[in-house]
Amino acid sequence: QVQLKLQGHPDEGVITRCGWIFKEEVDQKDLYGVFLNGVHPQIKAGEIIRIREVNGQYSFAYKGVGIENTVTRRPHINIPIEETRAQELMTLYSRLATITKRPRRMYEREIESGVSLSGTVYLCVDTVEELGEFTELSMYVHEYASARRLLLEEAGRLGFRLSDIAEGNYLKMVTERR
Protein backbone atom coordinates (compact mmCIF):
# COMPACT_ATOMS: atom_id res chain seq x y z
CA GLN A 1 0.00 0.00 0.00
CA VAL A 2 1.21 3.48 -0.88
CA GLN A 3 -0.58 6.19 1.07
CA LEU A 4 -0.67 9.98 1.33
CA LYS A 5 -2.25 11.64 4.37
CA LEU A 6 -3.41 15.26 4.23
CA GLN A 7 -4.70 17.66 6.87
CA GLY A 8 -8.27 18.82 6.25
CA HIS A 9 -11.21 17.74 4.12
CA PRO A 10 -11.77 18.47 0.43
CA ASP A 11 -15.03 20.11 -0.65
CA GLU A 12 -17.70 17.51 -1.51
CA GLY A 13 -18.33 19.19 -4.88
CA VAL A 14 -14.64 18.91 -5.78
CA ILE A 15 -14.66 15.21 -4.89
CA THR A 16 -17.59 14.63 -7.27
CA ARG A 17 -16.10 16.75 -10.09
CA CYS A 18 -12.83 14.80 -9.85
CA GLY A 19 -14.71 11.56 -10.60
CA TRP A 20 -14.65 9.91 -7.17
CA ILE A 21 -17.43 7.39 -6.50
CA PHE A 22 -18.86 7.34 -2.98
CA LYS A 23 -18.78 3.81 -1.49
CA GLU A 24 -19.82 4.09 2.14
CA GLU A 25 -19.66 5.98 5.42
CA VAL A 26 -18.67 4.05 8.54
CA ASP A 27 -17.45 4.54 12.07
CA GLN A 28 -14.10 2.78 12.44
CA LYS A 29 -12.15 1.90 15.57
CA ASP A 30 -8.54 0.69 15.35
CA LEU A 31 -6.75 -0.87 18.32
CA TYR A 32 -2.96 -0.95 17.85
CA GLY A 33 -0.58 -3.18 19.75
CA VAL A 34 2.93 -4.58 19.93
CA PHE A 35 3.95 -8.07 21.05
CA LEU A 36 3.37 -8.22 24.83
CA ASN A 37 6.47 -10.10 26.00
CA GLY A 38 9.01 -7.91 24.27
CA VAL A 39 10.24 -8.37 20.77
CA HIS A 40 9.63 -11.80 19.29
CA PRO A 41 12.67 -13.15 17.36
CA GLN A 42 10.70 -13.01 14.09
CA ILE A 43 9.23 -9.52 14.70
CA LYS A 44 11.27 -6.52 13.57
CA ALA A 45 11.28 -3.18 15.39
CA GLY A 46 8.42 -1.08 14.06
CA GLU A 47 6.11 -3.99 13.27
CA ILE A 48 2.71 -3.71 14.89
CA ILE A 49 -0.73 -5.27 14.77
CA ARG A 50 -4.09 -3.62 14.36
CA ILE A 51 -7.54 -4.89 15.27
CA ARG A 52 -10.14 -2.93 13.29
CA GLU A 53 -13.84 -2.84 14.15
CA VAL A 54 -16.34 -1.54 11.60
CA ASN A 55 -20.07 -2.02 12.22
CA GLY A 56 -19.49 -5.06 14.44
CA GLN A 57 -17.10 -6.72 11.95
CA TYR A 58 -13.47 -7.26 12.96
CA SER A 59 -10.23 -7.69 11.08
CA PHE A 60 -6.66 -8.36 12.14
CA ALA A 61 -3.84 -6.54 10.34
CA TYR A 62 -0.12 -7.05 10.53
CA LYS A 63 1.65 -3.79 9.69
CA GLY A 64 5.23 -4.15 8.54
CA VAL A 65 7.96 -1.56 8.89
CA GLY A 66 7.19 1.36 6.58
CA ILE A 67 8.90 4.23 4.87
CA GLU A 68 7.61 7.32 6.67
CA ASN A 69 7.86 10.56 4.75
CA THR A 70 5.35 12.53 2.70
CA VAL A 71 4.03 9.31 1.18
CA THR A 72 3.95 6.13 3.25
CA ARG A 73 4.78 2.71 1.88
CA ARG A 74 4.12 -0.08 4.35
CA PRO A 75 3.46 -3.78 3.81
CA HIS A 76 0.36 -5.07 5.54
CA ILE A 77 -2.26 -7.78 5.35
CA ASN A 78 -5.88 -7.74 6.60
CA ILE A 79 -7.60 -10.92 7.84
CA PRO A 80 -11.29 -11.03 8.86
CA ILE A 81 -11.74 -12.46 12.38
CA GLU A 82 -14.52 -13.03 14.93
CA GLU A 83 -14.95 -10.62 17.86
CA THR A 84 -13.89 -13.28 20.41
CA ARG A 85 -10.68 -13.91 18.45
CA ALA A 86 -10.02 -10.14 18.33
CA GLN A 87 -10.29 -10.01 22.12
CA GLU A 88 -7.96 -13.03 22.49
CA LEU A 89 -5.36 -11.48 20.18
CA MET A 90 -5.30 -8.23 22.14
CA THR A 91 -4.32 -10.17 25.28
CA LEU A 92 -1.08 -11.16 23.50
CA TYR A 93 -0.17 -7.57 22.66
CA SER A 94 0.53 -4.44 24.63
CA ARG A 95 -1.99 -1.78 23.55
CA LEU A 96 -0.39 1.30 22.05
CA ALA A 97 -3.48 3.36 21.25
CA THR A 98 -7.04 3.33 19.99
CA ILE A 99 -7.79 5.46 16.93
CA THR A 100 -11.45 6.24 16.23
CA LYS A 101 -12.55 7.66 12.88
CA ARG A 102 -16.10 8.90 13.17
CA PRO A 103 -17.18 9.23 10.44
CA ARG A 104 -14.97 7.80 7.70
CA ARG A 105 -16.32 8.53 4.22
CA MET A 106 -14.85 6.23 1.57
CA TYR A 107 -14.59 6.82 -2.17
CA GLU A 108 -12.74 5.14 -5.01
CA ARG A 109 -11.85 5.73 -8.62
CA GLU A 110 -10.19 3.70 -11.35
CA ILE A 111 -7.09 5.22 -12.90
CA GLU A 112 -4.82 4.40 -15.78
CA SER A 113 -1.56 6.30 -15.76
CA GLY A 114 0.65 4.82 -18.40
CA VAL A 115 2.04 1.32 -18.63
CA SER A 116 3.39 0.98 -15.08
CA LEU A 117 0.37 2.15 -13.09
CA SER A 118 -3.33 1.39 -13.22
CA GLY A 119 -6.00 0.23 -10.83
CA THR A 120 -8.11 1.58 -8.00
CA VAL A 121 -7.21 4.66 -5.99
CA TYR A 122 -8.94 5.03 -2.62
CA LEU A 123 -9.99 8.27 -0.94
CA CYS A 124 -10.95 8.32 2.75
CA VAL A 125 -12.23 11.49 4.39
CA ASP A 126 -11.76 11.08 8.14
CA THR A 127 -12.69 12.88 11.31
CA VAL A 128 -10.26 11.39 13.84
CA GLU A 129 -10.91 11.70 17.58
CA GLU A 130 -8.10 13.62 19.31
CA LEU A 131 -6.60 14.73 15.95
CA GLY A 132 -9.20 16.42 13.73
CA GLU A 133 -9.92 16.24 10.00
CA PHE A 134 -7.76 14.32 7.54
CA THR A 135 -7.91 12.91 4.04
CA GLU A 136 -6.09 9.78 2.88
CA LEU A 137 -5.30 8.81 -0.68
CA SER A 138 -3.99 5.28 -1.21
CA MET A 139 -3.44 2.50 -3.68
CA TYR A 140 -2.03 -1.01 -3.71
CA VAL A 141 0.87 -1.19 -6.16
CA HIS A 142 4.48 -2.29 -6.44
CA GLU A 143 5.64 0.81 -8.30
CA TYR A 144 6.27 3.26 -5.44
CA ALA A 145 7.65 6.25 -7.40
CA SER A 146 4.80 6.32 -9.93
CA ALA A 147 2.19 5.84 -7.19
CA ARG A 148 3.72 8.64 -5.13
CA ARG A 149 3.58 11.01 -8.10
CA LEU A 150 -0.02 10.03 -8.89
CA LEU A 151 -1.21 10.49 -5.29
CA LEU A 152 0.42 13.93 -5.11
CA GLU A 153 -1.31 14.89 -8.39
CA GLU A 154 -4.67 13.66 -7.06
CA ALA A 155 -4.17 15.68 -3.88
CA GLY A 156 -3.61 18.79 -6.00
CA ARG A 157 -6.76 18.11 -8.03
CA LEU A 158 -8.70 17.91 -4.73
CA GLY A 159 -7.40 21.35 -3.72
CA PHE A 160 -4.61 20.37 -1.35
CA ARG A 161 -1.18 22.03 -1.24
CA LEU A 162 2.15 20.48 -0.28
CA SER A 163 1.86 22.24 3.10
CA ASP A 164 -1.28 20.14 3.82
CA ILE A 165 0.68 16.87 3.84
CA ALA A 166 0.63 15.24 7.27
CA GLU A 167 3.82 13.43 8.27
CA GLY A 168 3.42 9.94 9.70
CA ASN A 169 0.28 7.99 10.50
CA TYR A 170 -2.59 8.37 12.97
CA LEU A 171 -0.91 6.07 15.50
CA LYS A 172 2.28 8.13 15.45
CA MET A 173 0.32 11.39 15.73
CA VAL A 174 -1.73 10.19 18.71
CA THR A 175 1.24 8.72 20.61
CA GLU A 176 3.34 11.87 20.02
CA ARG A 177 0.47 14.03 21.22
CA ARG A 178 0.29 12.14 24.51
Side-chain angles (χ1 to χ4, degrees), residues 51 60 81-92:
I51 304 291
F60 170 85
I81 58 174
E82 298 294 323
E83 180 179 7
T84 54
R85 187 66 179 136
Q87 292 168 352
E88 289 171 9
L89 281 168
M90 283 312 292
T91 65
L92 300 173

Side-chain angles (χ1 to χ4, degrees), residues 25-166:
E25 180 175 301
V26 298
D27 290 342
Q28 191 175 80
K29 183 170 52 175
D30 293 339
L31 299 140
Y32 288 92
V34 293
F35 195 66
L36 187 62
N37 296 319
V39 177
H40 185 279
Q42 295 177 348
I43 297 175
K44 297 176 188 166
E47 293 179 325
I48 58 173
I49 61 104
R50 179 193 70 212
I51 304 291
R52 174 169 286 168
E53 189 267 323
V54 178
N55 301 332
Q57 302 294 310
Y58 292 82
S59 65
F60 170 85
Y62 156 81
K63 304 277 245 175
V65 179
I67 299 168
E68 297 289 343
N69 54 29
T70 57
V71 178
T72 302
R73 181 180 184 186
R74 166 175 256 179
H76 76 274
I77 184 169
N78 293 302
I79 303 165
I81 58 174
E82 298 294 323
E83 180 179 7
T84 54
R85 187 66 179 136
Q87 292 168 352
E88 289 171 9
L89 281 168
M90 283 312 292
T91 65
L92 300 173
Y93 293 86
S94 186
R95 188 171 294 182
L96 295 171
T98 300
I99 311 294
T100 302
K101 297 166 227 162
R102 187 174 294 138
R104 172 170 250 212
R105 293 180 52 81
M106 296 182 278
Y107 304 81
E108 62 184 47
R109 164 169 115 68
E110 295 299 315
I111 57 99
E112 191 166 327
S113 177
V115 176
S116 66
L117 196 61
S118 63
T120 305
V121 180
Y122 301 94
L123 169 68
C124 294
V125 179
D126 297 331
T127 300
V128 183
E129 288 182 8
E130 297 185 47
L131 296 176
E133 296 180 342
F134 291 88
T135 299
E136 288 182 353
L137 289 162
S138 65
M139 59 190 317
Y140 294 90
V141 296
H142 293 288
E143 179 52 46
Y144 174 74
S146 296
R148 179 181 190 280
R149 184 179 64 252
L150 182 121
L151 294 179
L152 289 167
E153 288 170 5
E154 287 298 321
R157 291 181 60 211
L158 289 165
F160 290 101
R161 299 176 310 275
L162 287 175
S163 60
D164 296 321
I165 295 172

